[in-house]
Amino acid sequence: GAGVSQSPSNKVTEKGKDVELRCDPISGHTALYWYRQRLGQGLEFLIYFQGNSAPDKSGLPSDRFSAERTGESVSTLTIQRTQQEDSAVYLCASSAGELFFGEGSRLTVL
Amino acid sequence: GENVEQHPSTLSVQEGDSAVIKCTYSDSASNYFPWYKQELGKRPQLIIDIRSNVGEKKDQRIAVTLNKTAKHFSLHITETQPEDSAVYFCAAPGGGSQGNLIFGKGTKLSVKP
């Protein structure tokens, strides 16, 4: 596609439910990144994929967070048993050099 | 791992004045330093970047300088305009090379007409 596509754009869920966020990177981009941005805050690194392997998972906040990537294509970020502190915008970016960000998925946990 | 510090957290200038935002990094192996601009409610977008083999790079009203010895780099915006108002983030590679990027906490720039 023309840019990085993320879905859903907005998600409201109840505490304790699982959520899945999807990222479609720019075609041909081998590197894919997930970041979290809380309201008014900076970009918190979560995980990085090179192809379908994840050389760096150091940013995942807890074992409730996991991510997968199929080949050099779609990635999903899964948050299990969501908590209120998980509320944030989750940004995906892909790269073949420069990082291009998607519009983000805004997650609200009630 | 890499640690990126960014200052100031907020910056207010009059239209036409210059704005300078500074970042420091900890990993001397880092060799790529981008700057991103994020307008309210929008995605971060790359505005300029610099690699460690040069000390300065300019693009119209925007420039970035790099001091590898001191491990700091700065964004300079001249002749600021209201549309420059946004949050600016610096970044450095988390793994020393251009892998994952570690971002500074951001600087909210307000340009007053």
Side-chain angles (χ1 to χ4, degrees), chain A residues 4 33 35 37 41-43 45 48 56 91 95 97-103, chain B residues 32 36 38 41-46 89 98-106:
Chain A
V4 178
Y33 310 79
Y35 287 88
Q37 188 173 34
Q41 302 297 310
L43 300 165
F45 170 76
Y48 152 58
D56 192 343
L91 287 161
S95 171
E98 173 186 341
L99 237 62
F100 289 89
F101 282 89
E103 294 282 5
Chain B
Y32 174 68
Y36 284 80
Q38 187 176 32
K42 297 190 176 181
R43 73 184 82 187
Q45 292 190 302
L46 180 72
F89 294 96
Q98 196 176 327
N100 60 304
L101 288 177
I102 302 301
F103 285 82
K105 293 191 182 301

PDB file of all heavy atoms in Angstrom, chain A residues 4 33 35 37 41-43 45 48 56 91 95 97-103, chain B residues 32 36 38 41-46 89 98-106:
ATOM      1  N   VAL A   4       1.707   3.021   5.808  1.00  0.00           N
ATOM      2  CA  VAL A   4       1.474   2.037   6.853  1.00  0.00           C
ATOM      3  C   VAL A   4       0.014   2.143   7.301  1.00  0.00           C
ATOM      4  O   VAL A   4      -0.457   3.234   7.625  1.00  0.00           O
ATOM      5  CB  VAL A   4       2.412   2.281   8.048  1.00  0.00           C
ATOM      6  CG1 VAL A   4       2.133   1.276   9.156  1.00  0.00           C
ATOM      7  CG2 VAL A   4       3.868   2.208   7.597  1.00  0.00           C
ATOM      8  N   TYR A  33       8.075  -1.939  13.438  1.00  0.00           N
ATOM      9  CA  TYR A  33       8.221  -1.535  14.839  1.00  0.00           C
ATOM     10  C   TYR A  33       6.848  -1.243  15.441  1.00  0.00           C
ATOM     11  O   TYR A  33       5.958  -0.733  14.765  1.00  0.00           O
ATOM     12  CB  TYR A  33       9.047  -0.250  14.943  1.00  0.00           C
ATOM     13  CG  TYR A  33      10.346  -0.274  14.188  1.00  0.00           C
ATOM     14  CD1 TYR A  33      10.384  -0.078  12.809  1.00  0.00           C
ATOM     15  CD2 TYR A  33      11.556  -0.483  14.856  1.00  0.00           C
ATOM     16  CE1 TYR A  33      11.577  -0.091  12.120  1.00  0.00           C
ATOM     17  CE2 TYR A  33      12.751  -0.495  14.162  1.00  0.00           C
ATOM     18  CZ  TYR A  33      12.758  -0.298  12.798  1.00  0.00           C
ATOM     19  OH  TYR A  33      13.943  -0.316  12.108  1.00  0.00           O
ATOM     20  N   TYR A  35       5.307   0.951  18.740  1.00  0.00           N
ATOM     21  CA  TYR A  35       5.554   1.908  19.800  1.00  0.00           C
ATOM     22  C   TYR A  35       4.229   2.184  20.516  1.00  0.00           C
ATOM     23  O   TYR A  35       3.154   2.052  19.941  1.00  0.00           O
ATOM     24  CB  TYR A  35       6.090   3.237  19.245  1.00  0.00           C
ATOM     25  CG  TYR A  35       7.518   3.173  18.764  1.00  0.00           C
ATOM     26  CD1 TYR A  35       7.809   2.799  17.442  1.00  0.00           C
ATOM     27  CD2 TYR A  35       8.576   3.493  19.601  1.00  0.00           C
ATOM     28  CE1 TYR A  35       9.112   2.736  16.995  1.00  0.00           C
ATOM     29  CE2 TYR A  35       9.884   3.435  19.159  1.00  0.00           C
ATOM     30  CZ  TYR A  35      10.146   3.062  17.864  1.00  0.00           C
ATOM     31  OH  TYR A  35      11.446   2.998  17.416  1.00  0.00           O
ATOM     32  N   GLN A  37       2.254   5.241  22.746  1.00  0.00           N
ATOM     33  CA  GLN A  37       2.286   6.670  23.104  1.00  0.00           C
ATOM     34  C   GLN A  37       1.103   6.973  24.002  1.00  0.00           C
ATOM     35  O   GLN A  37      -0.048   7.009  23.538  1.00  0.00           O
ATOM     36  CB  GLN A  37       2.271   7.558  21.855  1.00  0.00           C
ATOM     37  CG  GLN A  37       2.495   9.030  22.179  1.00  0.00           C
ATOM     38  CD  GLN A  37       2.650   9.895  20.942  1.00  0.00           C
ATOM     39  OE1 GLN A  37       2.036   9.649  19.921  1.00  0.00           O
ATOM     40  NE2 GLN A  37       3.498  10.917  21.042  1.00  0.00           N
ATOM     41  N   GLN A  41       2.531  12.069  26.002  1.00  0.00           N
ATOM     42  CA  GLN A  41       3.845  11.515  26.321  1.00  0.00           C
ATOM     43  C   GLN A  41       4.637  11.190  25.051  1.00  0.00           C
ATOM     44  O   GLN A  41       4.165  11.412  23.928  1.00  0.00           O
ATOM     45  CB  GLN A  41       3.680  10.239  27.153  1.00  0.00           C
ATOM     46  CG  GLN A  41       2.920  10.435  28.443  1.00  0.00           C
ATOM     47  CD  GLN A  41       3.625  11.373  29.385  1.00  0.00           C
ATOM     48  OE1 GLN A  41       4.823  11.215  29.661  1.00  0.00           O
ATOM     49  NE2 GLN A  41       2.932  12.380  29.880  1.00  0.00           N
ATOM     50  N   GLY A  42       5.841  10.672  25.254  1.00  0.00           N
ATOM     51  CA  GLY A  42       6.705  10.329  24.136  1.00  0.00           C
ATOM     52  C   GLY A  42       6.402   8.964  23.566  1.00  0.00           C
ATOM     53  O   GLY A  42       5.399   8.329  23.888  1.00  0.00           O
ATOM     54  N   LEU A  43       7.284   8.509  22.699  1.00  0.00           N
ATOM     55  CA  LEU A  43       7.128   7.238  22.002  1.00  0.00           C
ATOM     56  C   LEU A  43       7.911   6.161  22.741  1.00  0.00           C
ATOM     57  O   LEU A  43       9.135   6.204  22.801  1.00  0.00           O
ATOM     58  CB  LEU A  43       7.631   7.368  20.565  1.00  0.00           C
ATOM     59  CG  LEU A  43       6.898   8.417  19.725  1.00  0.00           C
ATOM     60  CD1 LEU A  43       7.667   8.735  18.465  1.00  0.00           C
ATOM     61  CD2 LEU A  43       5.510   7.923  19.383  1.00  0.00           C
ATOM     62  N   PHE A  45       9.210   2.457  22.929  1.00  0.00           N
ATOM     63  CA  PHE A  45       9.488   1.311  22.076  1.00  0.00           C
ATOM     64  C   PHE A  45       8.956   0.028  22.703  1.00  0.00           C
ATOM     65  O   PHE A  45       9.159  -0.228  23.895  1.00  0.00           O
ATOM     66  CB  PHE A  45      11.002   1.194  21.847  1.00  0.00           C
ATOM     67  CG  PHE A  45      11.427  -0.075  21.191  1.00  0.00           C
ATOM     68  CD1 PHE A  45      11.227  -0.254  19.838  1.00  0.00           C
ATOM     69  CD2 PHE A  45      12.023  -1.094  21.917  1.00  0.00           C
ATOM     70  CE1 PHE A  45      11.613  -1.426  19.212  1.00  0.00           C
ATOM     71  CE2 PHE A  45      12.418  -2.273  21.302  1.00  0.00           C
ATOM     72  CZ  PHE A  45      12.200  -2.439  19.952  1.00  0.00           C
ATOM     73  N   TYR A  48      10.438  -4.875  17.845  1.00  0.00           N
ATOM     74  CA  TYR A  48      10.976  -4.621  16.519  1.00  0.00           C
ATOM     75  C   TYR A  48      11.093  -5.954  15.784  1.00  0.00           C
ATOM     76  O   TYR A  48      11.562  -6.930  16.349  1.00  0.00           O
ATOM     77  CB  TYR A  48      12.328  -3.932  16.690  1.00  0.00           C
ATOM     78  CG  TYR A  48      13.378  -4.114  15.616  1.00  0.00           C
ATOM     79  CD1 TYR A  48      13.117  -3.759  14.301  1.00  0.00           C
ATOM     80  CD2 TYR A  48      14.641  -4.596  15.950  1.00  0.00           C
ATOM     81  CE1 TYR A  48      14.100  -3.901  13.332  1.00  0.00           C
ATOM     82  CE2 TYR A  48      15.628  -4.741  14.985  1.00  0.00           C
ATOM     83  CZ  TYR A  48      15.358  -4.390  13.675  1.00  0.00           C
ATOM     84  OH  TYR A  48      16.324  -4.529  12.721  1.00  0.00           O
ATOM     85  N   ASP A  56      14.494  -7.819  18.940  1.00  0.00           N
ATOM     86  CA  ASP A  56      14.434  -7.014  20.149  1.00  0.00           C
ATOM     87  C   ASP A  56      13.009  -6.960  20.670  1.00  0.00           C
ATOM     88  O   ASP A  56      12.162  -6.280  20.090  1.00  0.00           O
ATOM     89  CB  ASP A  56      14.968  -5.605  19.870  1.00  0.00           C
ATOM     90  CG  ASP A  56      15.203  -4.802  21.139  1.00  0.00           C
ATOM     91  OD1 ASP A  56      14.663  -5.196  22.193  1.00  0.00           O
ATOM     92  OD2 ASP A  56      15.914  -3.797  21.080  1.00  0.00           O
ATOM     93  N   LEU A  91       1.343   2.817  17.998  1.00  0.00           N
ATOM     94  CA  LEU A  91       1.826   3.212  16.673  1.00  0.00           C
ATOM     95  C   LEU A  91       2.699   2.115  16.081  1.00  0.00           C
ATOM     96  O   LEU A  91       3.565   1.561  16.756  1.00  0.00           O
ATOM     97  CB  LEU A  91       2.655   4.497  16.776  1.00  0.00           C
ATOM     98  CG  LEU A  91       1.871   5.782  17.032  1.00  0.00           C
ATOM     99  CD1 LEU A  91       2.790   6.864  17.566  1.00  0.00           C
ATOM    100  CD2 LEU A  91       1.182   6.256  15.767  1.00  0.00           C
ATOM    101  N   SER A  95      10.069   0.256   7.888  1.00  0.00           N
ATOM    102  CA  SER A  95      11.280   0.924   7.438  1.00  0.00           C
ATOM    103  C   SER A  95      12.054   0.085   6.432  1.00  0.00           C
ATOM    104  O   SER A  95      12.164  -1.128   6.564  1.00  0.00           O
ATOM    105  CB  SER A  95      12.172   1.221   8.654  1.00  0.00           C
ATOM    106  OG  SER A  95      13.440   1.680   8.251  1.00  0.00           O
ATOM    107  N   GLY A  97      14.870   1.950   5.773  1.00  0.00           N
ATOM    108  CA  GLY A  97      15.784   3.076   5.967  1.00  0.00           C
ATOM    109  C   GLY A  97      15.086   4.051   6.889  1.00  0.00           C
ATOM    110  O   GLY A  97      15.180   3.967   8.093  1.00  0.00           O
ATOM    111  N   GLU A  98      14.320   4.957   6.313  1.00  0.00           N
ATOM    112  CA  GLU A  98      13.518   5.903   7.097  1.00  0.00           C
ATOM    113  C   GLU A  98      12.308   5.194   7.696  1.00  0.00           C
ATOM    114  O   GLU A  98      11.709   4.319   7.059  1.00  0.00           O
ATOM    115  CB  GLU A  98      13.054   7.027   6.170  1.00  0.00           C
ATOM    116  CG  GLU A  98      12.066   8.008   6.781  1.00  0.00           C
ATOM    117  CD  GLU A  98      11.545   9.002   5.762  1.00  0.00           C
ATOM    118  OE1 GLU A  98      12.190   9.172   4.705  1.00  0.00           O
ATOM    119  OE2 GLU A  98      10.482   9.593   6.015  1.00  0.00           O
ATOM    120  N   LEU A  99      11.954   5.607   8.919  1.00  0.00           N
ATOM    121  CA  LEU A  99      10.768   5.053   9.582  1.00  0.00           C
ATOM    122  C   LEU A  99       9.525   5.789   9.106  1.00  0.00           C
ATOM    123  O   LEU A  99       9.476   7.024   9.123  1.00  0.00           O
ATOM    124  CB  LEU A  99      10.892   5.253  11.095  1.00  0.00           C
ATOM    125  CG  LEU A  99      10.812   4.033  11.986  1.00  0.00           C
ATOM    126  CD1 LEU A  99      11.923   3.078  11.690  1.00  0.00           C
ATOM    127  CD2 LEU A  99      10.831   4.437  13.445  1.00  0.00           C
ATOM    128  N   PHE A 100       8.521   5.035   8.661  1.00  0.00           N
ATOM    129  CA  PHE A 100       7.226   5.610   8.308  1.00  0.00           C
ATOM    130  C   PHE A 100       6.205   5.081   9.307  1.00  0.00           C
ATOM    131  O   PHE A 100       6.061   3.866   9.470  1.00  0.00           O
ATOM    132  CB  PHE A 100       6.822   5.216   6.890  1.00  0.00           C
ATOM    133  CG  PHE A 100       7.636   5.877   5.818  1.00  0.00           C
ATOM    134  CD1 PHE A 100       8.801   5.288   5.354  1.00  0.00           C
ATOM    135  CD2 PHE A 100       7.243   7.090   5.284  1.00  0.00           C
ATOM    136  CE1 PHE A 100       9.565   5.891   4.367  1.00  0.00           C
ATOM    137  CE2 PHE A 100       7.996   7.704   4.287  1.00  0.00           C
ATOM    138  CZ  PHE A 100       9.160   7.101   3.835  1.00  0.00           C
ATOM    139  N   PHE A 101       5.485   5.996   9.942  1.00  0.00           N
ATOM    140  CA  PHE A 101       4.506   5.612  10.949  1.00  0.00           C
ATOM    141  C   PHE A 101       3.117   5.497  10.359  1.00  0.00           C
ATOM    142  O   PHE A 101       2.751   6.210   9.415  1.00  0.00           O
ATOM    143  CB  PHE A 101       4.468   6.658  12.079  1.00  0.00           C
ATOM    144  CG  PHE A 101       5.602   6.553  13.047  1.00  0.00           C
ATOM    145  CD1 PHE A 101       6.784   7.241  12.822  1.00  0.00           C
ATOM    146  CD2 PHE A 101       5.495   5.777  14.190  1.00  0.00           C
ATOM    147  CE1 PHE A 101       7.843   7.147  13.717  1.00  0.00           C
ATOM    148  CE2 PHE A 101       6.541   5.675  15.089  1.00  0.00           C
ATOM    149  CZ  PHE A 101       7.718   6.361  14.849  1.00  0.00           C
ATOM    150  N   GLY A 102       2.321   4.605  10.946  1.00  0.00           N
ATOM    151  CA  GLY A 102       0.900   4.567  10.678  1.00  0.00           C
ATOM    152  C   GLY A 102       0.190   5.613  11.515  1.00  0.00           C
ATOM    153  O   GLY A 102       0.819   6.335  12.306  1.00  0.00           O
ATOM    154  N   GLU A 103      -1.143   5.690  11.357  1.00  0.00           N
ATOM    155  CA  GLU A 103      -1.925   6.682  12.091  1.00  0.00           C
ATOM    156  C   GLU A 103      -2.160   6.261  13.531  1.00  0.00           C
ATOM    157  O   GLU A 103      -2.584   7.065  14.348  1.00  0.00           O
ATOM    158  CB  GLU A 103      -3.275   6.907  11.406  1.00  0.00           C
ATOM    159  CG  GLU A 103      -3.186   7.534  10.033  1.00  0.00           C
ATOM    160  CD  GLU A 103      -2.940   9.034  10.085  1.00  0.00           C
ATOM    161  OE1 GLU A 103      -2.744   9.607  11.183  1.00  0.00           O
ATOM    162  OE2 GLU A 103      -2.905   9.650   9.001  1.00  0.00           O
TER     163      GLU A 103
ATOM    164  N   TYR B  32      23.097   7.199  13.586  1.00  0.00           N
ATOM    165  CA  TYR B  32      21.981   7.730  12.806  1.00  0.00           C
ATOM    166  C   TYR B  32      21.041   8.448  13.760  1.00  0.00           C
ATOM    167  O   TYR B  32      20.614   7.877  14.764  1.00  0.00           O
ATOM    168  CB  TYR B  32      21.251   6.586  12.095  1.00  0.00           C
ATOM    169  CG  TYR B  32      19.994   7.003  11.388  1.00  0.00           C
ATOM    170  CD1 TYR B  32      20.043   7.825  10.271  1.00  0.00           C
ATOM    171  CD2 TYR B  32      18.745   6.593  11.838  1.00  0.00           C
ATOM    172  CE1 TYR B  32      18.892   8.226   9.623  1.00  0.00           C
ATOM    173  CE2 TYR B  32      17.592   6.987  11.197  1.00  0.00           C
ATOM    174  CZ  TYR B  32      17.667   7.802  10.090  1.00  0.00           C
ATOM    175  OH  TYR B  32      16.530   8.197   9.458  1.00  0.00           O
ATOM    176  N   TYR B  36      11.695  13.812  14.310  1.00  0.00           N
ATOM    177  CA  TYR B  36      10.319  13.630  13.869  1.00  0.00           C
ATOM    178  C   TYR B  36       9.458  14.774  14.391  1.00  0.00           C
ATOM    179  O   TYR B  36       9.668  15.268  15.495  1.00  0.00           O
ATOM    180  CB  TYR B  36       9.749  12.294  14.371  1.00  0.00           C
ATOM    181  CG  TYR B  36      10.262  11.110  13.594  1.00  0.00           C
ATOM    182  CD1 TYR B  36      11.524  10.578  13.853  1.00  0.00           C
ATOM    183  CD2 TYR B  36       9.505  10.540  12.590  1.00  0.00           C
ATOM    184  CE1 TYR B  36      12.005   9.512  13.127  1.00  0.00           C
ATOM    185  CE2 TYR B  36       9.985   9.467  11.850  1.00  0.00           C
ATOM    186  CZ  TYR B  36      11.235   8.965  12.135  1.00  0.00           C
ATOM    187  OH  TYR B  36      11.714   7.910  11.408  1.00  0.00           O
ATOM    188  N   GLN B  38       5.453  15.783  15.153  1.00  0.00           N
ATOM    189  CA  GLN B  38       4.122  15.216  15.335  1.00  0.00           C
ATOM    190  C   GLN B  38       3.125  16.333  15.616  1.00  0.00           C
ATOM    191  O   GLN B  38       3.162  16.947  16.694  1.00  0.00           O
ATOM    192  CB  GLN B  38       4.096  14.187  16.468  1.00  0.00           C
ATOM    193  CG  GLN B  38       2.761  13.443  16.578  1.00  0.00           C
ATOM    194  CD  GLN B  38       2.780  12.365  17.641  1.00  0.00           C
ATOM    195  OE1 GLN B  38       3.456  12.476  18.652  1.00  0.00           O
ATOM    196  NE2 GLN B  38       2.003  11.295  17.418  1.00  0.00           N
ATOM    197  N   GLY B  41      -2.711  15.063  17.129  1.00  0.00           N
ATOM    198  CA  GLY B  41      -3.599  14.024  16.629  1.00  0.00           C
ATOM    199  C   GLY B  41      -3.122  13.307  15.379  1.00  0.00           C
ATOM    200  O   GLY B  41      -3.859  12.517  14.792  1.00  0.00           O
ATOM    201  N   LYS B  42      -1.885  13.588  14.975  1.00  0.00           N
ATOM    202  CA  LYS B  42      -1.384  12.975  13.738  1.00  0.00           C
ATOM    203  C   LYS B  42      -0.176  12.093  14.014  1.00  0.00           C
ATOM    204  O   LYS B  42       0.349  12.047  15.114  1.00  0.00           O
ATOM    205  CB  LYS B  42      -1.037  14.061  12.721  1.00  0.00           C
ATOM    206  CG  LYS B  42      -2.257  14.877  12.294  1.00  0.00           C
ATOM    207  CD  LYS B  42      -1.925  15.772  11.130  1.00  0.00           C
ATOM    208  CE  LYS B  42      -3.175  16.502  10.650  1.00  0.00           C
ATOM    209  NZ  LYS B  42      -2.890  17.390   9.485  1.00  0.00           N
ATOM    210  N   ARG B  43       0.256  11.389  12.999  1.00  0.00           N
ATOM    211  CA  ARG B  43       1.393  10.487  13.137  1.00  0.00           C
ATOM    212  C   ARG B  43       2.706  11.270  13.135  1.00  0.00           C
ATOM    213  O   ARG B  43       2.787  12.335  12.532  1.00  0.00           O
ATOM    214  CB  ARG B  43       1.400   9.489  11.981  1.00  0.00           C
ATOM    215  CG  ARG B  43       1.819  10.092  10.639  1.00  0.00           C
ATOM    216  CD  ARG B  43       1.719   9.112   9.505  1.00  0.00           C
ATOM    217  NE  ARG B  43       0.352   9.014   8.993  1.00  0.00           N
ATOM    218  CZ  ARG B  43      -0.035   8.140   8.087  1.00  0.00           C
ATOM    219  NH1 ARG B  43       0.818   7.230   7.633  1.00  0.00           N
ATOM    220  NH2 ARG B  43      -1.273   8.119   7.657  1.00  0.00           N
ATOM    221  N   PRO B  44       3.753  10.741  13.784  1.00  0.00           N
ATOM    222  CA  PRO B  44       5.074  11.370  13.667  1.00  0.00           C
ATOM    223  C   PRO B  44       5.586  11.246  12.238  1.00  0.00           C
ATOM    224  O   PRO B  44       5.414  10.206  11.598  1.00  0.00           O
ATOM    225  CB  PRO B  44       5.935  10.559  14.633  1.00  0.00           C
ATOM    226  CG  PRO B  44       4.985   9.816  15.509  1.00  0.00           C
ATOM    227  CD  PRO B  44       3.766   9.575  14.676  1.00  0.00           C
ATOM    228  N   GLN B  45       6.232  12.298  11.758  1.00  0.00           N
ATOM    229  CA  GLN B  45       6.802  12.273  10.409  1.00  0.00           C
ATOM    230  C   GLN B  45       8.236  12.761  10.464  1.00  0.00           C
ATOM    231  O   GLN B  45       8.540  13.756  11.136  1.00  0.00           O
ATOM    232  CB  GLN B  45       5.966  13.116   9.457  1.00  0.00           C
ATOM    233  CG  GLN B  45       4.590  12.512   9.192  1.00  0.00           C
ATOM    234  CD  GLN B  45       3.848  13.206   8.062  1.00  0.00           C
ATOM    235  OE1 GLN B  45       3.612  14.393   8.120  1.00  0.00           O
ATOM    236  NE2 GLN B  45       3.506  12.453   7.033  1.00  0.00           N
ATOM    237  N   LEU B  46       9.094  12.084   9.719  1.00  0.00           N
ATOM    238  CA  LEU B  46      10.497  12.459   9.658  1.00  0.00           C
ATOM    239  C   LEU B  46      10.649  13.821   8.987  1.00  0.00           C
ATOM    240  O   LEU B  46      10.065  14.069   7.927  1.00  0.00           O
ATOM    241  CB  LEU B  46      11.269  11.410   8.856  1.00  0.00           C
ATOM    242  CG  LEU B  46      12.761  11.657   8.687  1.00  0.00           C
ATOM    243  CD1 LEU B  46      13.481  11.422  10.006  1.00  0.00           C
ATOM    244  CD2 LEU B  46      13.344  10.761   7.602  1.00  0.00           C
ATOM    245  N   PHE B  89      10.372  15.168  18.182  1.00  0.00           N
ATOM    246  CA  PHE B  89      11.059  14.070  18.859  1.00  0.00           C
ATOM    247  C   PHE B  89      12.404  13.810  18.183  1.00  0.00           C
ATOM    248  O   PHE B  89      12.483  13.706  16.959  1.00  0.00           O
ATOM    249  CB  PHE B  89      10.254  12.770  18.769  1.00  0.00           C
ATOM    250  CG  PHE B  89       8.953  12.783  19.511  1.00  0.00           C
ATOM    251  CD1 PHE B  89       7.766  13.074  18.867  1.00  0.00           C
ATOM    252  CD2 PHE B  89       8.921  12.493  20.871  1.00  0.00           C
ATOM    253  CE1 PHE B  89       6.555  13.074  19.551  1.00  0.00           C
ATOM    254  CE2 PHE B  89       7.716  12.496  21.567  1.00  0.00           C
ATOM    255  CZ  PHE B  89       6.542  12.797  20.905  1.00  0.00           C
ATOM    256  N   GLN B  98      21.212   1.158  12.792  1.00  0.00           N
ATOM    257  CA  GLN B  98      19.872   1.650  12.483  1.00  0.00           C
ATOM    258  C   GLN B  98      18.839   0.547  12.645  1.00  0.00           C
ATOM    259  O   GLN B  98      18.221   0.115  11.691  1.00  0.00           O
ATOM    260  CB  GLN B  98      19.843   2.192  11.062  1.00  0.00           C
ATOM    261  CG  GLN B  98      18.633   3.049  10.782  1.00  0.00           C
ATOM    262  CD  GLN B  98      18.685   3.637   9.403  1.00  0.00           C
ATOM    263  OE1 GLN B  98      19.736   3.944   8.893  1.00  0.00           O
ATOM    264  NE2 GLN B  98      17.542   3.776   8.760  1.00  0.00           N
ATOM    265  N   GLY B  99      18.669   0.086  13.868  1.00  0.00           N
ATOM    266  CA  GLY B  99      17.636  -0.900  14.159  1.00  0.00           C
ATOM    267  C   GLY B  99      16.466  -0.186  14.764  1.00  0.00           C
ATOM    268  O   GLY B  99      15.956   0.766  14.218  1.00  0.00           O
ATOM    269  N   ASN B 100      16.037  -0.652  15.934  1.00  0.00           N
ATOM    270  CA  ASN B 100      14.953   0.071  16.585  1.00  0.00           C
ATOM    271  C   ASN B 100      15.445   1.446  17.016  1.00  0.00           C
ATOM    272  O   ASN B 100      16.618   1.635  17.319  1.00  0.00           O
ATOM    273  CB  ASN B 100      14.450  -0.699  17.797  1.00  0.00           C
ATOM    274  CG  ASN B 100      15.540  -0.915  18.819  1.00  0.00           C
ATOM    275  OD1 ASN B 100      16.584  -1.472  18.508  1.00  0.00           O
ATOM    276  ND2 ASN B 100      15.332  -0.460  20.027  1.00  0.00           N
ATOM    277  N   LEU B 101      14.560   2.416  17.003  1.00  0.00           N
ATOM    278  CA  LEU B 101      14.898   3.770  17.429  1.00  0.00           C
ATOM    279  C   LEU B 101      14.390   4.014  18.832  1.00  0.00           C
ATOM    280  O   LEU B 101      13.261   3.649  19.169  1.00  0.00           O
ATOM    281  CB  LEU B 101      14.286   4.794  16.475  1.00  0.00           C
ATOM    282  CG  LEU B 101      14.909   4.902  15.083  1.00  0.00           C
ATOM    283  CD1 LEU B 101      14.137   5.899  14.238  1.00  0.00           C
ATOM    284  CD2 LEU B 101      16.368   5.313  15.181  1.00  0.00           C
ATOM    285  N   ILE B 102      15.214   4.639  19.635  1.00  0.00           N
ATOM    286  CA  ILE B 102      14.811   5.089  20.956  1.00  0.00           C
ATOM    287  C   ILE B 102      14.573   6.588  20.857  1.00  0.00           C
ATOM    288  O   ILE B 102      15.458   7.339  20.417  1.00  0.00           O
ATOM    289  CB  ILE B 102      15.891   4.778  22.009  1.00  0.00           C
ATOM    290  CG1 ILE B 102      16.185   3.273  22.044  1.00  0.00           C
ATOM    291  CG2 ILE B 102      15.455   5.288  23.378  1.00  0.00           C
ATOM    292  CD1 ILE B 102      14.983   2.410  22.373  1.00  0.00           C
ATOM    293  N   PHE B 103      13.378   7.022  21.267  1.00  0.00           N
ATOM    294  CA  PHE B 103      12.989   8.413  21.119  1.00  0.00           C
ATOM    295  C   PHE B 103      13.187   9.192  22.413  1.00  0.00           C
ATOM    296  O   PHE B 103      13.040   8.652  23.512  1.00  0.00           O
ATOM    297  CB  PHE B 103      11.520   8.499  20.702  1.00  0.00           C
ATOM    298  CG  PHE B 103      11.273   8.139  19.257  1.00  0.00           C
ATOM    299  CD1 PHE B 103      11.161   6.818  18.878  1.00  0.00           C
ATOM    300  CD2 PHE B 103      11.170   9.122  18.296  1.00  0.00           C
ATOM    301  CE1 PHE B 103      10.947   6.476  17.550  1.00  0.00           C
ATOM    302  CE2 PHE B 103      10.951   8.794  16.966  1.00  0.00           C
ATOM    303  CZ  PHE B 103      10.840   7.468  16.588  1.00  0.00           C
ATOM    304  N   GLY B 104      13.482  10.476  22.256  1.00  0.00           N
ATOM    305  CA  GLY B 104      13.428  11.390  23.386  1.00  0.00           C
ATOM    306  C   GLY B 104      11.976  11.623  23.784  1.00  0.00           C
ATOM    307  O   GLY B 104      11.055  11.184  23.090  1.00  0.00           O
ATOM    308  N   LYS B 105      11.770  12.304  24.882  1.00  0.00           N
ATOM    309  CA  LYS B 105      10.418  12.495  25.407  1.00  0.00           C
ATOM    310  C   LYS B 105       9.624  13.565  24.680  1.00  0.00           C
ATOM    311  O   LYS B 105       8.443  13.749  24.952  1.00  0.00           O
ATOM    312  CB  LYS B 105      10.470  12.796  26.903  1.00  0.00           C
ATOM    313  CG  LYS B 105      10.959  11.607  27.723  1.00  0.00           C
ATOM    314  CD  LYS B 105      10.750  11.831  29.206  1.00  0.00           C
ATOM    315  CE  LYS B 105      11.279  10.658  30.019  1.00  0.00           C
ATOM    316  NZ  LYS B 105      10.627   9.384  29.642  1.00  0.00           N
ATOM    317  N   GLY B 106      10.269  14.273  23.772  1.00  0.00           N
ATOM    318  CA  GLY B 106       9.558  15.238  22.960  1.00  0.00           C
ATOM    319  C   GLY B 106       9.652  16.663  23.471  1.00  0.00           C
ATOM    320  O   GLY B 106       9.829  16.904  24.668  1.00  0.00           O
TER     321      GLY B 106
END
